[in-house]
């Protein structure tokens, strides 16, 4: 029992730290990054689904909520800060996801199902070959089919920003495995705005 309580305390500490990181982000710099991302034109492949460069599946969990997400990605043509075989690049990530909360309106076992459609500009620091280890960060835009209210965290809007930081590895055969920490909130557009934090496992592959 003591070990379970200690694990729970560490989890709360991590979530609290993640919320503080989000709060400390410089809003002007964040807005500039988003505006620059919005100017990026994807490089459409001619022989894939909707011209996408890759596809992905994700599983996320947090706040007694589980999420299954599928996505298509389009790489940006631009590359910045090229040095020693690395550069800063990025891609557009279009996703559709299904959320299931297991404590709707704070009632244990009560379920809430939500469909989430998202579009996210993602910045990735990677090797020029786009293989091997990488780190990435993003602020995306999500529209939920219902206003989320689970385990004591009730949103006030269906629109949410989805921020994430992640690390991953692209194998020589094209498989992409990543672990991400993701935070959803409405950016104080309307209150209450408690936000929710998720741990995300991603598996993707290039077309």
């Amino acid at each position: 029992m003591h070990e379970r309580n200690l694990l729970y305390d560490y989890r709360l500490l991590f979530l609290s730290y993640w919320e503080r990181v989000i709060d400390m982000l410089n809003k002007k710099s964040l807005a500039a990054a988003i505006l620059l991302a919005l100017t990026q034109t994807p490089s459409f492949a001619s022989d894939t689904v909707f011209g996408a460069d890759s596809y992905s599946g994700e599983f996320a969990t947090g706040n007694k909520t589980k999420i299954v997400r599928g996505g298509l990605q389009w790489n940006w043509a631009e590359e910045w800060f090229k040095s020693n075989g690395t550069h800063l690049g990025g891609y557009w990530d279009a996703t559709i996801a299904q959320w299931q909360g297991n404590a709707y309106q704070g009632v244990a076992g009560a379920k809430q199902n939500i469909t989430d459609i998202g579009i996210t500009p993602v910045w990735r620091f990677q090797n020029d070959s786009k293989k091997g280890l990488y780190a990435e960060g993003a602020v995306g835009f999500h529209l939920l089919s219902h206003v989320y209210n689970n385990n004591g965290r009730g949103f006030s809007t269906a629109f949410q920003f989805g921020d994430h930081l992640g690390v991953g590895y692209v194998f020589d055969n094209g498989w992409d495995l990543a672990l991400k920490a993701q935070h959803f909130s409405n950016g104080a557009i309307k209150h209450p705005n408690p936000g929710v934090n998720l741990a995300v496992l991603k598996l993707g592959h290039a077309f």
Side-chain angles (χ1 to χ4, degrees), residues 55 131 134 169-177 203-206:
Y55 60 92
K131 306 291 186 182
Y134 66 82
Y169 192 93
V170 179
F171 296 89
D172 289 338
N173 60 8
W175 285 105
D176 179 349
L177 182 64
L203 181 64
H205 195 278

Side-chain angles (χ1 to χ4, degrees), residues 154-166:
F155 292 175
S156 57
T157 61
F159 172 80
Q160 296 289 310
F161 293 105
D163 318 324
H164 81 252
L165 294 174

Side-chain angles (χ1 to χ4, degrees), residues 175-192:
W175 285 105
D176 179 349
L177 182 64
L179 183 63
K180 304 188 292 188
Q182 187 166 36
H183 175 81
F184 281 91
S185 73
N186 68 15
I189 294 172
K190 185 178 179 181
H191 292 280

Side-chain angles (χ1 to χ4, degrees), residues 77-140:
E78 255 341 291
E79 296 178 351
W80 299 271
F81 307 110
K82 293 176 67 70
S83 177
N84 299 318
T86 62
H87 69 271
L88 179 66
Y91 59 93
W92 286 103
D93 187 19
T95 59
I96 184 167
Q98 189 67 29
W99 299 34
Q100 185 177 82
N102 293 313
Y104 178 53
Q105 294 183 335
V107 179
K111 300 192 183 302
Q112 182 185 32
N113 295 306
I114 294 173
T115 301
D116 164 16
I117 296 175
I119 183 70
T120 303
V122 184
W123 298 89
R124 178 179 287 188
F125 183 75
Q126 59 194 344
N127 295 313
D128 289 343
S129 65
K130 298 185 179 179
K131 306 291 186 182
L133 192 65
Y134 66 82
E136 67 177 34
V139 179

